[in-house]
Amino acid sequence: IGRTQSYDLTPERAYARHLAAALEEVDLRRRQIARTGARAATPDEVGRLGGDLAASFSRAAAALAALEPPPPAKAAHALLTRALGTAAAAYTALASAGSGGGASELLHARARVRAAEASVDEGLEAFSLLGYGPAPGG
């Protein structure tokens, strides 16, 4: 009581650069998949794509876990790190289902991926609300 703590809410540039670098591969892979229309992929292709995406999300989660976020970004950092790990696990399940699971397993894995991707988007939105995001006009 009587003591207040204030935070500079301006995004920290060094942290923003590391954050962007950690997410670059995931962003690239997500855009590639969206362009190719992965819904029409064969089960074997789904397995391969799932494995590739699982590895990308896993690397991003590890890179974020190694970063020390500035105080105002701690909650968003934890949320996104967790979401990336969940997405990696969901894509691993998708890879397994695509590589030998039945239609039901594949359907369940796809639903898990959609939920995990929504969590990643939520984590990214949290950073956007803090001022981290693409540069104006970028």
Side-chain angles (χ1 to χ4, degrees):
I1 301 209
R3 291 180 59 155
T4 61
Q5 184 171 0
S6 64
Y7 294 114
D8 179 6
L9 298 179
T10 305
E12 189 178 293
R13 287 182 187 206
Y15 176 74
R17 279 193 306 276
H18 290 296
L19 178 65
L23 297 173
E24 184 176 11
E25 178 186 356
V26 166
D27 185 47
L28 176 66
R29 299 292 294 147
R30 286 170 114 188
R31 284 184 283 139
Q32 287 173 338
I33 300 294
R35 276 195 309 268
T36 62
R39 288 195 178 274
T42 66
D44 284 341
E45 290 171 319
V46 168
R48 183 185 56 74
L49 291 171
D52 289 349
L53 283 162
S56 293
F57 276 92
S58 183
R59 283 189 290 273
L64 254 65
L67 291 178
E68 180 62 37
K74 281 188 184 281
H77 181 94
L79 174 68
L80 184 57
T81 302
R82 207 171 28 255
L84 290 168
T86 299
Y91 277 111
T92 296
L94 183 66
S96 176
S99 298
S104 175
E105 187 179 346
L106 193 55
L107 193 61
H108 176 71
R110 283 182 189 256
R112 193 172 159 192
V113 162
R114 279 192 300 278
E117 284 278 2
S119 292
V120 170
D121 289 342
E122 187 179 309
L124 293 171
E125 178 65 19
F127 273 105
S128 179
L129 293 172
L130 292 171
Y132 290 88

